[in-house]
Amino acid sequence: MCGIAGFTQFRGPRPDAWSLLRSMTDSIAHRGPDAEGLAVLEGIALGHRRLAIIDLREIGNQPMASSDGTCQIVFNGEIYNFRALRAELEKEGVPFRTDTDTEVILALYARDGDECVHRLNGMFAFALWDARRRRLLLVRDRIGKKPLYLREAGGEVAFASELKALLRLPEERRRVRHDAVVDYFFQQYVPDPKSIFEGIEKLEPGCCASVTADGVRRWRYWSPPTEHDPRLDSLDAAAEALLPVLEDSVRLRLMSDVPLGAFLSGGVDSSGVVALMADASSTPVTTCSVGFDDDRFDELAEARALAAHFHCDHREFTVKAGVERDIERILSFFDEPFADPSLVPTYHVSALARQAVTVALSGDGGDEGFAGYEKYVLDAREHRIRSRLGFAARHLPLRLLARGLFASRLAVLERGASFLDAIADDPGRAYFSTNSSMSRHEWRALVRMGAPDAFHTYDPAARTMELYARAEVPDHLSRIQHVDLQSWLPGDILVKVDRMSMAHSLEARAPLLDYRVIEFGTSLPSHLKLLGNEKKRALRHALARRVPADVLARRKRGFTPPLADWLRGPLRTRLHDTLLASDAGLRCFFDGRIVRRILEDHLSGRRNHTYCLWSLYVFERWWQVYVMGEARIQPASMDTETREVVVT
């Protein structure tokens, strides 16, 4: 796990190349505290920060050159099948100097060229410079676990693991992308391939980019499969076929030359991963859990019981005080506005884990791959009603009724209005609306008349609708899963895990996001994933002989903090002062009177505007740092903070 950065020099060497490259890598030093590597060559500058996981020797540092010296690579991630690939190459006479997966990528590229990406099983983003062709190959893993930002300008391309490194370029002008701001307020993140700034984009998951003096060519090398496997026609058949895939996925991710453990929430997915780790390991699994001083949000008891069941070396931490201090520290690791509240527990569980291990396995991916979210149940009900009514009977009548209910400003009626709105909409737009943190009605009321045109004309549902319409799958559930796998998962879930784990120089691995597991999930008939209220049917059935029955039957609680109470309590003063400041950037876009009304309604307890206020707060803090240049918020130290830990 590492951080990478660099830039092309097709038009000749930059006089500031060395100092600029070092500045870029210094900005992402938390991603790789073990070593720094820089190379300024004809046509390219490559920088690397290393978190040593495999082959800890200095010989494993990067940039790394191919055996003939014609290629150089900087690589972030892990290739879990690299030993099998290496054995295959050694049979063909290929020599190796190190025991790293990085060198295997170089050798595989020498043999297969761009097609080498199809052989890689892992999480990765890499930049490979081919001096013979004067060409840079940029690659991002299939699922999007590792980030890669690109900036094209003046015939040159710069790249980095995090946006902050590209902002070190002296010629970079920070022009906020207004449609990306709209996306953020509806989804709480900026979706790929956009970034919050004009001129900087993310390479999408499962994509490559070829960079030469003639320009950039992008292509997709992987997409989630769209056909159901007819052989998987029953729960027993699906479970029997799935379990060995899960076991192998976990086994591959136990590869490490440093201490390794797991995040444990007490839910199905993380419990399943820990169970399979315990089966494959000869020593107790180190597990880490975080809870809150609020029974409504705390799962520590469940996690503790599960850890005892599998004889784990268990550690836990309860978030109690210092929320206002922690929030500023946590937000400092996001270069774009990002408001998923679960970033808080993810940050703390990563800090806890880093005190004992350098690598932690997580349960991420089970909900997206096997339909585990409650939103899938709710959307299925809405879709059944929508299908029975037909377009003419539902579209205009229900839309008009919903508009009247919204106008009442009564919370109970607004919930009904949202439901009617979803029934009236087309399926793709309805799915977007159901999962948005803000309704179209709230948005229209909030936006001021003089806001940029995009705030009035841009449709943030367009991307979801495009993905929904493009999915060549047989049913509605498969379509919305297809949407989530290409938007919500890489744009929200994986960004959160990457930034929060890397904030503590911790490598997070997700066995349920092995591309073979994802392909298995998408190949299942929908009734083997969701039937009525029963979610993740095939996954639960596959884990039935490994995980206690009460865990498999447990209702999903989510990994969220008591945010509504925090905004009325420890964050109250800061929230008020930030949103109502006379120089707030929010005033460029939103009606200050509406912001004040929403804030007062929430603080008084009359209404619950948690997600709207939290999104406004996060955006304003981001604006002050990245647009106004405020110096008060600095990236947190990469030193792991001391905390009181309970070990059981």
Side-chain angles (χ1 to χ4, degrees):
M1 194 60 57
C2 307
I4 64 175
F7 46 86
T8 61
Q9 301 188 105
F10 294 124
R11 299 191 172 189
R14 294 182 62 131
D16 62 346
W18 282 102
S19 61
L20 176 57
L21 192 60
R22 176 165 282 110
S23 176
M24 294 173 74
T25 57
D26 282 350
S27 73
I28 54 174
H30 54 278
R31 298 186 70 93
D34 295 332
E36 176 190 54
L38 308 175
V40 177
L41 310 168
E42 183 182 352
I44 195 70
L46 299 171
H48 188 261
R49 293 291 313 208
R50 186 185 186 197
L51 176 62
I53 303 294
I54 301 296
D55 193 344
L56 309 184
R57 298 173 298 168
E58 187 175 337
I59 196 173
N61 290 348
Q62 302 177 40
M64 184 178 289
S66 60
S67 57
D68 62 3
T70 61
C71 293
Q72 295 265 353
I73 189 173
V74 284
F75 163 60
N76 169 29
E78 298 289 351
I79 306 302
Y80 300 120
N81 64 334
F82 88 95
R83 296 197 192 282
L85 293 172
R86 174 178 171 141
E88 176 185 315
L89 291 162
E90 285 178 326
K91 287 182 180 179
E92 298 173 4
V94 177
F96 287 89
R97 308 182 308 279
T98 73
D99 191 32
T100 64
D101 48 0
T102 310
E103 191 178 10
V104 170
I105 297 174
L106 283 167
L108 205 61
Y109 175 80
R111 189 190 73 179
D112 299 339
D114 295 351
E115 295 301 306
C116 71
V117 299
H118 296 287
R119 302 295 310 281
L120 305 177
N121 182 353
M123 52 179 181
F124 51 85
F126 64 80
L128 192 155
W129 173 251
D130 189 330
R132 290 168 300 187
R133 302 170 66 183
R134 286 184 60 81
R135 171 185 181 258
L136 179 67
L137 176 66
L138 300 171
V139 182
R140 191 174 176 199
D141 68 68
R142 295 170 178 85
I143 313 300
K145 284 169 279 190
K146 294 293 103 184
L148 190 57
Y149 289 81
L150 280 70
R151 173 188 175 274
E152 298 178 54
E156 303 286 9
V157 170
F159 65 89
S161 295
E162 296 185 19
L163 191 150
K164 62 170 62 72
L166 296 181
L167 298 181
R168 296 294 179 97
L169 297 168
E171 63 273 19
E172 177 58 32
R173 293 176 56 200
R174 303 187 187 187
R175 300 181 301 274
V176 174
R177 183 167 175 168
H178 294 141
D179 61 341
V181 175
V182 179
D183 285 326
Y184 160 75
F185 276 102
F186 277 88
Q187 301 181 70
Q188 298 190 309
Y189 66 94
V190 177
D192 298 357
K194 298 176 187 176
S195 85
I196 196 63
F197 292 117
E198 294 181 9
I200 298 177
E201 292 191 342
K202 304 157 191 165
L203 186 65
E204 291 188 79
C207 287
C208 300
S210 172
V211 183
T212 67
D214 295 327
V216 180
R217 181 177 68 87
R218 295 174 174 81
W219 70 95
R220 179 171 295 280
Y221 69 89
W222 183 87
S223 293
T226 57
E227 294 184 3
H228 290 168
D229 188 337
R231 296 170 298 176
L232 305 174
D233 58 355
S234 70
L235 272 181
D236 288 339
E240 185 178 354
L242 175 57
L243 185 57
V245 179
L246 296 175
E247 291 172 330
D248 189 60
S249 178
V250 169
R251 179 187 61 79
L252 286 177
R253 283 158 180 79
L254 297 180
M255 167 194 72
S256 177
D257 292 336
V258 294
L260 180 147
F263 298 154
L264 179 61
S265 70
V268 172
D269 301 334
S270 65
S271 298
V273 168
V274 168
L276 295 175
M277 290 176 71
D279 282 350
S281 177
S282 58
T283 58
V285 177
T286 299
T287 53
C288 301
S289 304
V290 164
F292 297 96
D293 195 16
D294 187 325
D295 291 341
R296 296 171 301 166
F297 300 88
D298 189 73
E299 290 186 291
L300 283 180
E302 292 93 332
R304 192 180 306 128
L306 204 287
H309 179 84
F310 290 112
H311 309 289
C312 298
D313 175 14
H314 186 60
R315 297 159 184 265
E316 59 187 44
F317 174 73
T318 300
V319 181
K320 295 180 180 178
V323 171
E324 63 281 1
R325 178 203 64 221
D326 292 338
I327 290 298
E328 298 300 321
R329 180 179 175 86
I330 291 168
L331 293 179
S332 72
F333 286 98
F334 291 89
D335 307 328
E336 300 180 275
F338 183 86
D340 183 337
S342 61
L343 58 84
V344 176
T346 305
Y347 173 87
H348 286 293
V349 77
S350 296
L352 177 63
R354 190 61 175 91
Q355 294 184 1
V357 301
T358 311
V359 177
L361 273 63
S362 77
D364 292 312
D367 292 318
E368 291 83 5
F370 295 92
Y373 289 121
E374 186 65 23
K375 66 180 182 178
Y376 295 141
V377 176
L378 299 176
D379 192 80
R381 293 172 186 166
E382 292 175 358
H383 190 65
R384 281 196 297 272
I385 298 172
R386 186 185 303 116
S387 300
R388 290 168 183 167
L389 287 177
F391 182 81
R394 61 179 168 81
H395 186 67
L396 185 58
L398 295 185
R399 181 63 49 75
L400 291 174
L401 180 56
R403 188 172 300 173
L405 294 178
F406 274 119
S408 72
R409 294 195 64 241
L410 295 174
V412 66
L413 296 182
E414 285 188 5
R415 286 194 292 271
S418 297
F419 173 76
L420 294 176
D421 235 4
I423 301 300
D425 265 333
D426 294 330
R429 182 180 293 280
Y431 186 64
F432 172 84
S433 298
T434 299
N435 296 285
S436 294
S437 57
M438 184 176 294
S439 73
R440 288 172 289 185
H441 302 277
E442 291 174 304
W443 179 254
R444 293 185 189 118
L446 194 59
V447 174
R448 61 186 290 265
M449 290 299 295
D453 288 346
F455 280 66
H456 300 286
T457 61
Y458 171 67
D459 182 4
R463 173 66 170 165
T464 295
M465 294 172 68
E466 176 194 354
L467 291 172
Y468 184 91
R470 202 170 64 196
E472 298 178 356
V473 291
D475 57 67
H476 178 67
L477 176 64
S478 297
R479 285 181 181 274
I480 61 177
Q481 283 190 275
H482 180 85
V483 169
D484 279 352
L485 286 170
Q486 298 195 74
S487 56
W488 161 260
L489 178 64
D492 184 308
I493 304 300
L494 299 182
V495 169
K496 172 191 65 184
V497 174
D498 175 80
R499 302 304 190 275
M500 295 295 84
S501 60
M502 286 286 88
H504 300 284
S505 303
L506 176 78
E507 178 172 302
R509 299 176 177 177
L512 301 182
L513 286 175
D514 187 305
Y515 78 94
R516 299 169 301 165
V517 177
I518 293 296
E519 289 182 348
F520 191 100
T522 59
S523 72
L524 285 175
S526 289
H527 70 89
L528 296 184
K529 291 177 284 188
L530 176 67
L531 188 63
N533 293 327
E534 188 183 355
K535 303 181 290 291
K536 286 192 288 201
R537 300 182 71 218
L539 182 60
R540 292 174 191 270
H541 205 61
L543 295 173
R545 286 178 290 177
R546 301 290 195 277
V547 177
D550 63 318
V551 174
L552 294 177
R554 190 175 295 152
R555 182 174 181 178
K556 183 178 179 62
R557 294 178 65 179
F559 199 38
T560 56
L563 185 59
D565 294 339
W566 287 356
L567 294 181
R568 294 187 180 109
L571 292 176
R572 181 188 184 104
T573 300
R574 182 166 295 178
L575 179 70
H576 180 278
D577 294 348
T578 299
L579 299 192
L580 301 184
S582 59
D583 61 346
L586 294 170
R587 290 175 176 264
C588 299
F589 311 115
F590 303 117
D591 187 327
R593 295 169 304 172
I594 303 300
V595 173
R596 181 181 291 275
R597 189 187 75 194
I598 291 172
L599 178 62
E600 291 175 350
D601 280 352
H602 184 84
L603 295 182
S604 69
R606 290 191 298 267
R607 303 287 292 276
N608 187 342
H609 292 296
T610 300
Y611 291 108
C612 179
L613 290 172
W614 174 242
S615 297
L616 289 166
Y617 176 79
V618 170
F619 181 82
E620 182 60 31
R621 300 311 294 143
W622 172 85
W623 180 274
Q624 293 300 324
V625 175
Y626 285 94
V627 178
M628 302 306 294
E630 180 184 296
R632 288 199 300 272
I633 302 177
Q634 295 292 336
S637 166
M638 62 185 172
D639 297 332
T640 304
E641 61 198 87
T642 302
R643 55 182 54 217
E644 188 176 326
V645 180
V646 176
V647 182
T648 60

